[in-house]
Amino acid sequence: ETGVTQSPTHLIKTRGQQVTLRCSSQSGHNTVSWYQQALGQGPQFIFQYYREEENGRGNFPPRFSGLQFPNYSSELNVNALELDDSALYLCASSLRGDSNQPQHFGDGTRLSIL
Amino acid sequence: GDSVTQMEGPVTLSEEAFLTINCTYTATGYPSLFWYVQYPGEGLQLLLKATKADDKGSNKGFEATYRKETTSFHLEKGSVQVSDSAVYFCALSDRGSYIPTFGRGTSLIVHP
């Protein structure tokens, strides 16, 4: 069973730039959720994708966008980067329709904005 | 909406001490409840879960019981080790929503 993998592990960008983060879901999972975790804080839900469509969104501006592909992998795109976007970005996969099952997390991408 | 409230940390204990981390929740339906653990530099890992009232989840010496009457899911361990030092997150997943809700996390520091 292949777990959730995220790339890259670390990234440094400057204000105003754009970034794309990638996630491969665990085999058998069809739903991907993205979270932002600032230092010392809990994960904040960004959005969730199921069957290539956004299935729910947290309190994040439109410059945070995403995609899900037919193989259930996913991308998170952030435009016009701001200093406050510096955080650990976590991807988690799960099987939609079964709320008894936990989220399976990757190790995250550490994004630093200079 | 759904919410999870955890006790604030850090919780600092000596090795072999008893651990309790409190978690209470608010949900509109009948949620499943989870505890996740995050070690430094890593993502979250599932520690244990309970899917209905009075269920007890357990793993690696940790336990938590789903208490519907008090809407609580407190995490306990009888004897902590230095290797248990991490951040612990309580979470729920409501059957009416496929989007989980996480607490803010409680940092545990165990000294030798």
Side-chain angles (χ1 to χ4, degrees):
Chain A
E1 184 178 83
T2 305
V4 176
T5 58
Q6 292 186 243
S7 63
T9 54
H10 295 86
L11 203 50
I12 300 174
K13 292 285 190 178
T14 57
R15 287 173 56 188
Q17 285 189 309
Q18 179 268 342
V19 69
T20 297
L21 310 182
R22 294 178 174 85
C23 171
S24 294
S25 60
Q26 180 164 312
S27 59
H29 287 177
N30 56 17
T31 302
V32 172
S33 302
W34 286 92
Y35 297 86
Q36 181 194 67
Q37 187 179 23
L39 203 60
Q41 302 295 318
Q44 298 297 310
F45 175 74
I46 303 175
F47 43 56
Q48 185 181 85
Y49 276 84
Y50 169 67
R51 287 188 176 176
E52 303 176 50
E53 291 192 1
E54 189 179 287
N55 180 48
R57 189 177 184 94
N59 189 26
F60 281 82
R63 61 189 183 85
F64 285 78
S65 63
L67 285 172
Q68 187 181 32
F69 300 100
N71 67 354
Y72 306 125
S73 65
S74 178
E75 288 183 354
L76 164 66
N77 300 290
V78 187
N79 294 323
L81 286 166
E82 300 176 0
L83 293 177
D84 284 349
D85 295 334
S86 295
L88 179 68
Y89 287 85
L90 294 167
C91 168
S93 72
S94 57
L95 188 62
R96 180 177 165 89
D98 190 351
S99 60
N100 292 336
Q101 296 305 313
Q103 302 257 292
H104 292 254
F105 284 84
D107 284 341
T109 294
R110 174 72 62 189
L111 177 61
S112 299
I113 310 302
L114 304 179
Chain B
D2 297 346
S3 67
V4 174
T5 303
Q6 292 182 231
M7 61 188 291
E8 289 198 20
V11 173
T12 304
L13 297 173
S14 297
E15 206 165 23
E16 298 184 4
F18 184 86
L19 168 71
T20 300
I21 299 178
N22 290 336
C23 170
T24 57
Y25 67 89
T26 302
T28 53
Y30 299 93
S32 294
L33 303 174
F34 307 88
W35 276 100
Y36 289 85
V37 59
Q38 186 177 33
Y39 298 101
E42 298 182 9
L44 280 68
Q45 303 172 26
L46 177 69
L47 182 59
L48 54 83
K49 70 175 187 180
T51 58
K52 61 183 187 298
D54 300 325
D55 268 3
K56 178 185 282 187
S58 61
N59 185 26
K60 299 181 183 178
F62 291 90
E63 292 182 341
T65 301
Y66 190 142
R67 300 286 188 202
K68 188 169 182 292
E69 64 276 13
T70 54
T71 61
S72 64
F73 192 54
H74 304 321
L75 182 68
E76 297 182 335
K77 187 176 186 183
S79 176
V80 294
Q81 305 301 311
V82 172
S83 57
D84 294 327
S85 298
V87 180
Y88 292 81
F89 293 92
C90 184
L92 69 82
S93 182
D94 200 326
R95 285 170 181 67
S97 165
Y98 301 107
I99 298 169
T101 302
F102 285 84
R104 295 169 62 94
T106 302
S107 175
L108 169 66
I109 301 169
V110 181
H111 294 293

